[in-house]
Amino acid sequence: MSKLSSTPTPATVVPAQAPSRGEVGDSRRREQRPGWRPHDDTGHRNEVVLAGRVTAEPAVRELPSGTHLTTWRLSVTRPTADQRPNQPTDPITCVSFQSSIEEATRGWRIGDHVQVSGALRRRFWRSPNGSSSVIEVEAHHAHRVVAGGTSTGDVPAERAPDHQPR
């Protein structure tokens, strides 16, 4: 004969299913913009939008992995109220691993006004002096807004009559 246990057996837990998109009760709808993805429910976001002048022309280098890294630098003017006496602008390094951005930046020159959107990233690498790191903007989208001027700065480079391509 078997002896019955007086301890209760655990109940089976069935997880509740979240309503699918479009169903009543779906309160987690978010504004959808091109290039924007919700990361999680904690509200964390890493979005950067910059508009400034190119101060270091884009350079492409091949990493040991075979991936191409495009790097350039922008100078973004601070609002007048936030300017310091010796630092009216912020130099910001931008990078991209995307071939489409490598193509888009190919004709950029110093002085061009560009717009970049992406995210802040911290990259690490080993150097002869130990580990190093840098914080950069990893660009997801980039385009030139206005071509920079000639040496006088009066005429955009694309319309200058004696402009020689580099």
Side-chain angles (χ1 to χ4, degrees):
M1 288 193 198
S2 67
K3 189 174 179 182
L4 293 176
S5 170
S6 62
T7 59
T9 58
T12 304
V13 177
V14 178
Q17 292 186 354
S20 64
R21 281 191 174 203
E23 283 186 18
V24 176
D26 186 5
S27 62
R28 296 188 306 168
R29 285 190 182 189
R30 294 194 173 114
E31 175 186 359
Q32 295 296 315
R33 294 188 312 237
W36 183 82
R37 300 174 280 183
H39 296 287
D40 55 31
D41 288 334
T42 61
H44 292 209
R45 291 172 72 169
N46 184 351
E47 290 182 311
V48 174
V49 177
L50 301 171
R53 299 271 178 205
V54 175
T55 58
E57 290 183 8
V60 180
R61 65 185 174 114
E62 187 171 341
L63 301 178
S65 65
T67 304
H68 287 185
L69 175 66
T70 306
T71 306
W72 68 95
R73 192 171 48 249
L74 296 182
S75 177
V76 179
T77 303
R78 292 181 179 188
T80 307
D82 296 337
Q83 288 183 3
R84 295 184 190 150
N86 295 327
Q87 191 176 8
T89 63
D90 290 306
I92 300 171
T93 301
C94 300
V95 300
S96 180
F97 296 96
Q98 297 178 16
S99 59
S100 61
I101 292 184
E102 179 181 340
E103 287 294 319
T105 62
R106 188 162 283 155
W108 289 5
R109 300 291 177 248
I110 292 175
D112 288 353
H113 185 197
V114 301
Q115 185 169 339
V116 175
S117 64
L120 282 179
R121 297 283 188 251
R122 185 170 184 192
R123 282 194 303 130
F124 297 88
W125 68 92
R126 295 187 196 280
S127 68
N129 299 330
S131 293
S132 297
S133 71
V134 66
I135 295 176
E136 304 163 319
V137 172
E138 184 177 329
H140 299 143
H141 302 281
H143 69 277
R144 179 170 46 198
V145 178
V146 177
T150 60
S151 59
T152 61
D154 295 337
V155 181
E158 292 177 334
R159 288 188 235 136
D162 59 331
H163 174 67
Q164 297 295 321
R166 294 180 193 176

